[in-house]
Amino acid sequence: KDISIKKTVNVYYVLGMERMVKKAMVNFRELGLEPILYRAPVSFLAGRRLYKSGYSGANANKQFEYDHEYDSALYLNSKFVSRKLEAYKAEKEALKVLLNAKSITLDGHEVELAGNIGSPKDVEGVLNNGGEGVGLFRTEFLYMDSQDFPTEEEQYVAYKAVLEGMNGKKVVVRTMDIGGDKTLPYFTFPEEMNPFLGYRGIRVCLDRKDMFRTQLRALIRASKYGKLCIMFPMIATLDEFRDAKAVFNEEKANLIAEGVEVADNIEVGMMVEIPAAAVNASNFAKEADFFSIGTNDLTQMTFGFSRDDAGKFLGAYYDKKIYENDPFAKVDQVGVGKLIEMAARLGRETRPDIKLGICGEHGGDPSSVEFCHGVGLTYVSCSPFRVPIARLAAAQAQIKNPRA
């Protein structure tokens, strides 16, 4: 049975709704719905209910596309989404038997199943679905939900809450990954032709080290409350990783000098989401404690089109059999898969004990989990509600292809 069937949902928005829409997109994807974005004039939105609450007062003059085929799937409160929720609840009930099961191969190798979160309140969902840790804490939402850059103390409180809530289970925190489609109303980004390939992720952090140091200090201070791992996003070169880790080491030393108690076992790793990082994995493995494969961006950069825009032409590609599957729903094993396999193989050749995981949306897709099992990844992180599905997929993969 294919338990990862994806549907599309059109999301219409007006100028000024971008922050709300970006958060809504995460929730859509957690329901197995792939959002396709369209900018609409305010007149189109009049009287219609939108995601969460209504929105008004914005000015927009760009036209939008209208797809009658998905008219019933425009909004979160639509009958289409209600049907999707009913199916999800039935599937969740059937998978309860797997909630607290261990994922162990026949030779005793354990595969960790973790959940992705965006705030402390999401910890409950990870635990309720049998997550064995947090594999991705998207800290940019702390920035997106604030009216100004969150202070060190505000961030410390959030990180402490997550670490305490997970009660000793591993928490992998991604440093702020702003830029691209994740803008902030209180920070001016440069005008760019291709924001996804520009000023974002680690590039912002290394350019604005004052912001970066504030976040790292908050994380290091909170480290004593649990098992903290920190990873840097959008790493392309070895010098980027070294520079970022140097800032981490400096702030850790500063806090110790100030008499602050910190954990001495914080693991520092990196996202492998740029092809250059995958092909240079042997060198990165000398200095990174772990790799986390960011399949969303890795797919985007390998194919050369964005996940948010691909829906506008993928339907035609499916009809013409150019693509059999949505590469953002199932790992493309021909191209993206080879980069994942390369990162895992080269990383292990240099450092046999390096931890290797996946934290993109593919982590909740059974066929993608099976592929990751085959290349020897040690942990999978996905939307919390998909953890039981990933566990079932890992078990099925072990039966089909026992790991020696």
Side-chain angles (χ1 to χ4, degrees), residues 24-86:
M25 287 168 64
V26 174
N27 293 337
F28 274 123
R29 287 179 176 126
E30 288 179 349
L31 291 173
L33 298 166
E34 186 58 32
I36 303 173
L37 294 181
Y38 300 103
R39 182 175 293 174
V42 175
S43 59
F44 173 76
L45 301 178
R48 288 179 166 87
R49 296 181 64 188
L50 302 177
Y51 170 72
K52 288 189 177 179
S53 61
Y55 185 92
S56 62
N59 293 314
N61 53 24
K62 292 193 175 181
Q63 293 300 308
F64 65 95
E65 296 179 49
Y66 187 79
D67 190 342
H68 291 275
E69 182 181 357
Y70 294 109
D71 189 42
S72 64
L74 291 178
Y75 308 106
L76 255 183
N77 63 347
S78 69
K79 292 181 180 179
F80 176 84
V81 180
S82 296
R83 292 197 299 272
K84 189 69 178 177
L85 283 169
E86 290 173 6

Side-chain angles (χ1 to χ4, degrees), residues 75-311:
Y75 308 106
L76 255 183
N77 63 347
S78 69
K79 292 181 180 179
F80 176 84
V81 180
S82 296
R83 292 197 299 272
K84 189 69 178 177
L85 283 169
E86 290 173 6
Y88 156 60
K89 289 176 182 177
E91 185 178 80
K92 182 178 179 180
E93 187 66 27
L95 291 170
K96 274 186 176 180
V97 66
L98 298 175
L99 280 185
N100 297 306
K102 287 289 185 180
S103 306
I104 304 175
T105 61
L106 295 177
D107 64 340
H109 176 79
E110 186 170 343
V111 179
E112 180 182 336
L113 278 301
N116 299 339
I117 68 171
S119 73
K121 71 178 185 298
D122 298 333
V123 166
E124 183 180 1
V126 175
L127 297 175
N128 288 346
N129 285 285
E132 299 168 90
V134 170
L136 171 62
F137 183 176
R138 298 182 174 101
T139 61
E140 55 270 16
F141 286 127
L142 299 179
Y143 294 78
M144 295 170 71
D145 288 340
S146 179
Q147 297 304 308
D148 201 349
F149 286 107
T151 65
E152 179 182 324
E153 190 63 26
E154 288 170 336
Q155 293 188 64
Y156 163 75
V157 169
Y159 304 143
K160 176 176 179 286
V162 171
L163 288 162
E164 287 184 326
M166 291 306 296
N167 195 27
K169 294 181 178 180
K170 185 168 71 174
V171 175
V172 180
V173 177
R174 180 176 68 190
T175 55
M176 61 174 180
D177 187 16
I178 58 174
D181 61 340
K182 290 170 283 190
T183 58
L184 305 175
Y186 50 83
F187 180 70
T188 301
F189 286 85
E191 290 290 332
E192 298 177 296
M193 294 294 292
N194 296 294
F196 281 99
L197 301 178
Y199 192 65
R200 58 177 295 210
I202 198 64
R203 299 158 193 165
V204 179
C205 294
L206 296 182
D207 181 51
R208 290 291 306 272
K209 287 186 179 178
D210 54 331
M211 300 189 304
F212 194 34
R213 289 180 185 277
T214 296
Q215 180 174 35
L216 290 175
R217 283 179 63 88
L219 283 166
I220 297 166
R221 284 176 56 199
S223 64
K224 67 178 182 179
Y225 295 102
K227 188 176 181 181
L228 174 67
C229 303
I230 298 173
M231 64 180 177
F232 306 130
M234 298 298 294
I235 295 290
T237 70
L238 198 56
D239 284 338
E240 279 179 322
F241 182 79
R242 286 172 174 165
D243 198 0
K245 191 170 182 180
V247 178
F248 165 82
N249 289 331
E250 288 170 12
E251 291 307 326
K252 182 178 179 182
N254 289 339
L255 286 167
I256 292 173
E258 294 168 19
V260 177
E261 181 184 354
V262 304
D264 61 0
N265 61 344
I266 305 173
E267 295 182 359
V268 179
M270 58 178 280
M271 298 280 291
V272 176
E273 52 191 343
I274 295 178
V279 299
N280 196 26
S282 57
N283 288 316
F284 281 114
K286 297 174 183 176
E287 306 189 33
D289 293 320
F290 63 93
F291 291 161
S292 185
I293 311 294
T295 55
N296 300 335
D297 265 305
L298 187 60
T299 299
Q300 185 166 256
M301 294 197 177
T302 302
F303 277 89
F305 52 71
S306 75
R307 178 175 58 176
D308 298 337
D309 296 317

